[in-house]
Amino acid sequence: VGVLDERAPLTFPPGFLWGAATAAYQIEGAAAVGGRTPSIWDTFSHTEGRTVGGHTGDVACDHYHRVGDDVRLMADLGLKSYRFSVSWPRVQPGGSGRPNTEGLDFYRRLVDDLLAHGIEPWLTLYHWDLPQPLEDAGGWPARDTAARFADYAQLVVDALGDRVHYWTTLNEPWCSAFLGYGSGVHAPGRSDGADAVRAGHHLMLGHGLAVQALRAARPNAEIGVTVNLYPVTPASDSPADADAARRIDGLANRFFLDPILRGEYPADLVADLSTVTDFDHVQDGDLATIATPLDLVGVNYYSRHVVAAPLPDADPEPYWRSPSCWPGSGDVRFVTRGVPVTDMNWEIDAPGLVETLRRVHEEYTDLPLYVTENGSAFVDEVVDGQVDDVDRLAYFDAHLRASHEAIQAGVPLRGYFAWSLMDNFEWAWGYTKRFGMIYVDYDSQIRIPKSSARWYAEVIRRNGLAAQ
Ligand code: PNW
């Protein structure tokens, strides 16, 4: 007697955009090749003590020199779309002035090769690699950086607008602002709450200006932004824990969602931040610019935050929960529930993806949504030239089931991008954390598709999940 299938196969809507994502500094290498100049991540990673093992993106996956082979691997997976980012200092060295043709040619070749393989290019303008001279002039806490970003957007759309349909401005402005200028665990490694808040504002201002430039240049393009969102759950039903959750939700989620999708900062967040800043960096008209209409919203989802009211005997916190990335609310406790975690120590919480997608749709917007990143780090072992990453595969499976559940609940979810196509430079963690569906041997640069990659190729082929 056979065992009955507990779960029916899940089919996604026709045309669902199955993809994988990367970012320029995490994979390209060739840091000083073809006219590229340093970004804040070059400076940061070359500064003693900033990244694990002093790792840098100098070589990374050497994708700059292996782009043809890498696109072939994407085609083998059957990817419908590939989300990559453009390195600002590669195409506009120094962050202002004339374009660098050699840098732009790299992306023209990449995009043309993708299109030749039937893979939709999805371009992110800013995945954290601010040209160093712009940081030296004040970085994102300085208002002028927003205008520089709009100029850069114009330059890129002038060069690639004829062949790229999907555009996102920023990747995860929370990380740029609050890890870069708040806790300082990301480049440029500054640590000041008011600067972090100013950075967040100017990132969003740059986003709005860039959307206007893209729209004017390419009226038919699909334009959006990618935010990293977390459900924030109180550890108990006490009013104090509920208030802690409200505060962290304000900083992590509503700080970006409300200005971009409603044209306003949440009043409670402004009040929470009153000891940090009086928001005098916000000028008339900024919020209207920030709320320039979009065509889509990208959501990056990894985990949930469970929080509790301050106590004197708080546990030591993992780095991304360090008090300084939560200005004005640094005494809120982040609670671990003892559920399974990834190699980043991030709790695995697939229902949180359903909650997150439903919230954006039900509370903010009818726009099409895309999961622009979702994935997990696990320790991989190469055995007989193979990597059987069962934990990563299970993570993807659970989160695709969650994505399907969100669609059933009415969310206009149009695509899903696995993070990441291949192992890469995981920021402050260097090469010690592997998120890829494709294993990278950093000595030989040999790529090995893991079990999760073969599984994902089958998901794409059948536009859904097999019965379980
Ligand atoms: C995202 N946090 O980064 C980025 O978009 C990717 O470049 C990165 O490789 C991936 O997720 C995995 O980390 C994050 O501390 C980095 O909350 C840190 C946090 C969140 C996202």
Side-chain angles (χ1 to χ4, degrees), residues 26 127-128 171-172 230 302 320 346 373 419 426-427:
Q26 294 182 271
H127 203 126
W128 308 355
N171 177 70
E172 302 192 350
Y230 299 82
Y302 289 94
W320 77 95
W346 298 347
E373 284 179 27
W419 184 270
E426 178 51 30
W427 308 114

